[in-house]
PDB file of all heavy atoms in Angstrom:
ATOM      1  N   ARG A 935      96.128 -90.045 130.269  1.00  0.00           N
ATOM      2  CA  ARG A 935      95.755 -91.284 130.944  1.00  0.00           C
ATOM      3  C   ARG A 935      94.276 -91.474 130.815  1.00  0.00           C
ATOM      4  O   ARG A 935      93.613 -92.108 131.638  1.00  0.00           O
ATOM      5  CB  ARG A 935      96.295 -91.325 132.335  1.00  0.00           C
ATOM      6  CG  ARG A 935      97.813 -91.398 132.436  1.00  0.00           C
ATOM      7  CD  ARG A 935      98.076 -91.509 133.945  1.00  0.00           C
ATOM      8  NE  ARG A 935      99.469 -91.157 134.334  1.00  0.00           N
ATOM      9  CZ  ARG A 935     100.415 -92.027 134.502  1.00  0.00           C
ATOM     10  NH1 ARG A 935     100.303 -93.302 134.579  1.00  0.00           N
ATOM     11  NH2 ARG A 935     101.530 -91.577 134.917  1.00  0.00           N
ATOM     12  N   TRP A 936      93.608 -90.823 129.622  1.00  0.00           N
ATOM     13  CA  TRP A 936      92.128 -90.858 129.615  1.00  0.00           C
ATOM     14  C   TRP A 936      91.489 -92.340 129.800  1.00  0.00           C
ATOM     15  O   TRP A 936      90.502 -92.478 130.367  1.00  0.00           O
ATOM     16  CB  TRP A 936      91.622 -90.303 128.344  1.00  0.00           C
ATOM     17  CG  TRP A 936      90.293 -90.678 127.895  1.00  0.00           C
ATOM     18  CD1 TRP A 936      89.906 -91.350 126.876  1.00  0.00           C
ATOM     19  CD2 TRP A 936      89.055 -90.483 128.575  1.00  0.00           C
ATOM     20  NE1 TRP A 936      88.549 -91.513 126.785  1.00  0.00           N
ATOM     21  CE2 TRP A 936      88.040 -91.017 127.901  1.00  0.00           C
ATOM     22  CE3 TRP A 936      88.783 -89.771 129.878  1.00  0.00           C
ATOM     23  CZ2 TRP A 936      86.761 -90.964 128.306  1.00  0.00           C
ATOM     24  CZ3 TRP A 936      87.582 -89.753 130.269  1.00  0.00           C
ATOM     25  CH2 TRP A 936      86.516 -90.353 129.621  1.00  0.00           C
ATOM     26  N   THR A 937      92.149 -93.323 129.144  1.00  0.00           N
ATOM     27  CA  THR A 937      91.602 -94.635 129.159  1.00  0.00           C
ATOM     28  C   THR A 937      91.506 -95.324 130.636  1.00  0.00           C
ATOM     29  O   THR A 937      90.707 -95.945 130.927  1.00  0.00           O
ATOM     30  CB  THR A 937      92.146 -95.602 128.077  1.00  0.00           C
ATOM     31  OG1 THR A 937      93.573 -95.642 128.345  1.00  0.00           O
ATOM     32  CG2 THR A 937      91.747 -95.199 126.748  1.00  0.00           C
ATOM     33  N   ASP A 938      92.500 -94.809 131.437  1.00  0.00           N
ATOM     34  CA  ASP A 938      92.581 -95.241 132.791  1.00  0.00           C
ATOM     35  C   ASP A 938      91.157 -94.672 133.498  1.00  0.00           C
ATOM     36  O   ASP A 938      90.568 -95.477 134.286  1.00  0.00           O
ATOM     37  CB  ASP A 938      93.771 -94.719 133.559  1.00  0.00           C
ATOM     38  CG  ASP A 938      95.013 -95.436 133.149  1.00  0.00           C
ATOM     39  OD1 ASP A 938      95.021 -96.409 132.338  1.00  0.00           O
ATOM     40  OD2 ASP A 938      96.043 -95.047 133.721  1.00  0.00           O
ATOM     41  N   TRP A 939      90.869 -93.481 133.217  1.00  0.00           N
ATOM     42  CA  TRP A 939      89.679 -93.012 133.857  1.00  0.00           C
ATOM     43  C   TRP A 939      88.522 -93.687 133.223  1.00  0.00           C
ATOM     44  O   TRP A 939      87.596 -94.149 134.065  1.00  0.00           O
ATOM     45  CB  TRP A 939      89.498 -91.518 133.432  1.00  0.00           C
ATOM     46  CG  TRP A 939      90.487 -90.589 133.997  1.00  0.00           C
ATOM     47  CD1 TRP A 939      91.692 -90.113 133.621  1.00  0.00           C
ATOM     48  CD2 TRP A 939      90.231 -89.959 135.278  1.00  0.00           C
ATOM     49  NE1 TRP A 939      92.293 -89.354 134.569  1.00  0.00           N
ATOM     50  CE2 TRP A 939      91.428 -89.173 135.527  1.00  0.00           C
ATOM     51  CE3 TRP A 939      89.250 -89.884 136.272  1.00  0.00           C
ATOM     52  CZ2 TRP A 939      91.674 -88.392 136.715  1.00  0.00           C
ATOM     53  CZ3 TRP A 939      89.398 -89.066 137.299  1.00  0.00           C
ATOM     54  CH2 TRP A 939      90.661 -88.407 137.614  1.00  0.00           C
ATOM     55  N   ALA A 940      88.438 -93.866 131.902  1.00  0.00           N
ATOM     56  CA  ALA A 940      87.215 -94.436 131.300  1.00  0.00           C
ATOM     57  C   ALA A 940      86.965 -95.825 131.670  1.00  0.00           C
ATOM     58  O   ALA A 940      85.847 -96.297 131.776  1.00  0.00           O
ATOM     59  CB  ALA A 940      87.397 -94.357 129.857  1.00  0.00           C
ATOM     60  N   GLN A 941      88.051 -96.651 132.130  1.00  0.00           N
ATOM     61  CA  GLN A 941      87.798 -97.954 132.433  1.00  0.00           C
ATOM     62  C   GLN A 941      87.648 -98.200 133.941  1.00  0.00           C
ATOM     63  O   GLN A 941      87.609 -99.336 134.498  1.00  0.00           O
ATOM     64  CB  GLN A 941      89.125 -98.755 132.018  1.00  0.00           C
ATOM     65  CG  GLN A 941      89.084 -98.984 130.480  1.00  0.00           C
ATOM     66  CD  GLN A 941      90.511 -99.248 129.884  1.00  0.00           C
ATOM     67  OE1 GLN A 941      91.364 -99.490 130.567  1.00  0.00           O
ATOM     68  NE2 GLN A 941      90.449 -99.224 128.530  1.00  0.00           N
ATOM     69  N   SER A 942      87.626 -97.067 134.758  1.00  0.00           N
ATOM     70  CA  SER A 942      87.505 -97.287 136.198  1.00  0.00           C
ATOM     71  C   SER A 942      86.006 -97.312 136.575  1.00  0.00           C
ATOM     72  O   SER A 942      85.211 -96.403 136.465  1.00  0.00           O
ATOM     73  CB  SER A 942      88.072 -95.997 136.744  1.00  0.00           C
ATOM     74  OG  SER A 942      87.707 -95.896 138.194  1.00  0.00           O
TER      75      SER A 942
END
Side-chain angles (χ1 to χ4, degrees):
R935 299 187 197 250
W936 159 244
T937 49
D938 289 355
W939 289 90
Q941 287 157 9
S942 166

